[in-house]
Amino acid sequence: HVFYRLLNESKFDLYVLNYRYSARCLRKGWVEDPHFNSHCHAGTHDVYKNEIAKALKTIQTTKKYEKTVGYAHSTGAPIFFNYLIETGDDGFDGFIFNSPFLDFAGGMNEFAADVVSTLAKYKMLSMDFNPAPTIPPEVKGKCKYKGNQQELVLSAWAAKLFSEYYFDTGTRPVYVVPLTAGYMRGAEVVQEKIRARLAKKDPITLKPFVMLTSRSDDVLDSEGMRVLIDAIGTARTEIELGDNAHDNFLSHDKRDTDLAIDLIKVW
């Protein structure tokens, strides 16, 4: 990841927490359905609290660090926010949030996510449900995953990113991976918790954090993110970029990527 350049130059060690049902779990063959890449079988992100706590303990016992900074991007952010709400921010000295998943980009995407989450809430839809894409006729029957009946469809969005930044396709899919009903439900519960803290003017953390968003984000609504980020804390720095991609550190133009990294360095 390009972001590693920032950490390495700033003399930070990087630890990556691989949640269940994603990334290396795919490569190891632990995921029965390849579309379970953004999935939460329980419909609540509380199931990840223990994973984060164990990861933090591993970091603390590996080496004595002067500072520990938490980082979350996109769909990983609600899981991290939930941990902070339920457990507190002990163990961290600050945070970097890169396009955190706090709001869809509006329109039909947001409407569909709300409907799926509500149906899952009232058990009218399985948490495992995923709105898998329609299989194009020309490839139907040719894209099976380890004999699974679920077929895979190449994602134009992921393929474009792969053409610009090489990544391991065994751990980061280049096919379409919809958010499952379980993940949508878990994320909406976290958003409800954040709104409740905002209404009470009760910040989730008093430690410094920076949030990067982009007006050109093609996945999330930058304005919606900034509204809910008020509940996270007051010791914040908000940076809204104009032309960066959803992952501000993997933008289409190297100059935009460098700008995002340089701004975080200043912070």
Side-chain angles (χ1 to χ4, degrees):
H1 196 292
V2 177
F3 187 55
Y4 178 72
R5 191 173 86 232
L6 166 64
L7 296 175
N8 190 44
E9 292 176 2
S10 302
K11 308 303 181 185
F12 274 82
D13 289 338
L14 175 63
Y15 293 81
V16 180
L17 172 56
N18 193 130
Y19 296 112
R20 66 188 80 176
Y21 282 115
S22 66
R24 293 193 178 278
C25 295
L26 286 171
R27 177 169 288 288
K28 290 179 179 293
W30 294 342
V31 182
E32 64 271 20
D33 187 326
H35 291 114
F36 284 176
N37 188 64
S38 294
H39 179 44
C40 179
H41 71 283
T44 169
H45 291 341
D46 286 348
V47 297
Y48 301 111
K49 290 189 297 184
N50 193 44
E51 294 181 22
I52 298 176
K54 287 183 176 180
L56 190 56
K57 184 176 180 180
T58 297
I59 294 171
Q60 293 169 338
T61 56
T62 299
K63 185 176 177 181
K64 185 174 178 59
Y65 291 103
E66 182 181 344
K67 300 287 185 182
T68 301
V69 177
Y71 171 81
H73 165 60
S74 193
T75 52
I79 297 173
F80 194 34
F81 285 142
N82 187 67
Y83 175 83
L84 296 176
I85 291 170
E86 297 294 330
T87 310
D89 58 7
D90 289 347
F92 296 98
D93 298 285
F95 308 93
I96 298 172
F97 300 122
N98 174 15
S99 299
F101 182 75
L102 291 173
D103 199 359
F104 270 107
M108 288 304 296
N109 279 344
E110 186 169 3
F111 174 75
D114 287 341
V115 169
V116 170
S117 174
T118 300
L119 291 175
K121 176 182 179 180
Y122 293 105
K123 304 187 186 306
M124 299 171 67
L125 201 61
S126 166
M127 294 296 179
D128 291 345
F129 171 79
N130 68 79
T134 301
I135 309 297
E138 59 270 21
V139 298
K140 189 172 179 61
K142 301 178 182 179
C143 305
K144 298 290 183 68
Y145 171 81
K146 294 183 179 179
N148 192 289
Q149 292 307 303
Q150 289 276 15
E151 293 194 65
L152 309 179
V153 178
L154 182 68
S155 165
W157 187 89
K160 183 176 186 296
L161 180 63
F162 181 77
S163 72
E164 298 169 331
Y165 297 93
Y166 172 81
F167 54 82
D168 179 3
T169 57
T171 59
R172 179 168 185 162
V174 290
Y175 54 85
V176 178
V177 281
L179 298 178
T180 66
Y183 182 86
M184 291 182 194
R185 181 61 202 148
E188 186 164 301
V189 169
V190 175
Q191 291 173 7
E192 290 168 357
K193 292 179 181 179
I194 292 174
R195 291 190 183 95
R197 297 289 286 261
L198 180 60
K200 294 189 296 183
K201 296 183 178 180
D202 181 17
I204 294 171
T205 181
L206 295 177
K207 294 177 179 176
F209 70 90
V210 60
M211 183 182 75
L212 279 173
T213 61
S214 173
R215 293 181 183 179
S216 299
D217 193 322
D218 57 350
V219 177
L220 303 177
D221 175 19
S222 63
E223 180 63 32
M225 284 185 274
R226 292 199 304 278
V227 170
L228 285 185
I229 208 69
D230 287 343
I232 307 304
T234 55
R236 68 183 183 272
T237 300
E238 297 180 43
I239 301 174
E240 183 185 48
L241 300 169
D243 303 303
N244 288 58
H246 173 55
D247 185 338
N248 290 282
F249 302 118
L250 295 179
S251 295
H252 311 307
D253 190 318
K254 182 179 181 298
R255 292 170 297 181
D256 293 324
T257 294
D258 290 342
L259 174 60
I261 291 175
D262 288 341
L263 287 169
I264 294 298
K265 282 183 179 179
V266 172
W267 178 79

